[in-house]
Amino acid sequence: MDRFLIEGGRPLNGEVRISGAKNAALPLLAATLLASTPVTLRNVPDLKDVSTLIKLIRGMGVTITRDGDTVTVDTSTLNSQFAPYELVKTMRASILVLGPLLARYHDAKVSLPGGCAIGSRPVDLHLKAMTALGAEVTVENGYVHASVGGRLKGSRIQFELVTVGGTQNALTAAVLAEGTTIIDNAAREPEVTDLAHMLVKMGARIEGIGSDTLTVHGVEQLQGCEYPVIADRIETGSYLAAAAMTGGKIRTTHTDPSLLEAVLQKFEEMGAVVTTGPDWIELDMQGKRPRAVNFRTLPHPAFPTDMQAQLMAVNTIAEGTGTIIETIFENRYMHVPELSRMGAHIQVDGHTAIVSGVEQLQAAPVMATDLRASMSLVLAALAAKGQTCIDRIYHIDRGYERIEAKLTQLGASIQRVAG
Ligand code: EPZ
């Protein structure tokens, strides 16, 4: 398993180009299954999760070509609506093919994703949404089998809690349903909005995009289109955190400040100077130590759970004490024991973590447990004294494109060691 060796203590400075968002690219790729003619996606990041989903869709007979950051999907050769356990178990977002397959081909068999490092993460709400649209859904031998005799029927879907993937599956199912569907308590994450915009470009009729009530008037057919994936707001926030962590100054480009207002506000509270333009964000820590901040993770537009670990890392070296409350996932503090090995002072009680900043973290051998937890360890290592070895970095390759190259360009000493 590959490891990172990071020599800490250098302020990071410079410019970094942000990639397309993993969490937008995955639902967009799944939604290409709805189109009768080829779809071309641009700004698709080259990440493990993206290639897993491409493999899964290719396994259904679909023709997919990739040229740099452009991916073209032609569904005319599709010959199966089956998503096997072997692939789904490696990536939960595979469940996103359920809505499109059911809507267009009226039948789908998709493996149930298992639990994962950040919690049990059930898909019950996805299945309820499919049932509300008239599908017969059974779960047997670890597989979801959903089918409908003819088109799905428009209906009212009321999500009891905000679910990003559930909203995406409901949306991609409802667009080809007969009649109107109203999705209440819909997720408003930018990656849901991005999906809705692409569906509209394909010919779907959706009202309320960006709000928590989506009204979908079903159409009979959707066409292919060309569509660019939005910038990765979490990758953006992670590089800005690297500047905050090391007292440096980093400009992220090809991004969008409107996607991460709650995060930028926290960086300002930390004492960073944040400046923005239409497609860039710069964070200047001016060599200062950050001030600790309190925050609570909540659905968009509030503070995102996918930035919790990274801001916790900054809090570990901040002046003062910061209280963090994780409300989205039940077990998203796996990075705490690893950060503690590096000298961080963190106390966890249920969903609350209290972080008392220390002046200096120390290098230590640590282990990555999930994607964002891994990034928090990279951040800690960038600020720590000595050489940190981070094991199991395959987690980070799922969501951060060319991370060593990008960090090296910013002045970090980071090396990948194969093992
Ligand atoms: C998406 O996961 C993201 N993944 C996650 O990013 C992100 O953390 C999460 O949204 C929250 O913003 C992708 O977009 C591919 P949810 P998703 O359904 O859709 C519970 C990362 O690091 N729930 O909004 O799976 C669930 O257990 C990843 O890039 C049910 O109970 O998240 C969780 O507690 C990790 N039943 C909460 O809802 C359901 O049927 C929110 O989950 C569905 C969800």
Side-chain angles (χ1 to χ4, degrees), residues 22-23 121-125 161 163-165 306 328 332 372:
K22 165 182 85 85
N23 289 348
R121 300 180 76 187
V123 291
D124 55 321
L125 303 176
L161 55 85
T163 159
V164 174
D306 290 347
I328 306 290
R332 210 171 193 181
R372 310 303 170 188

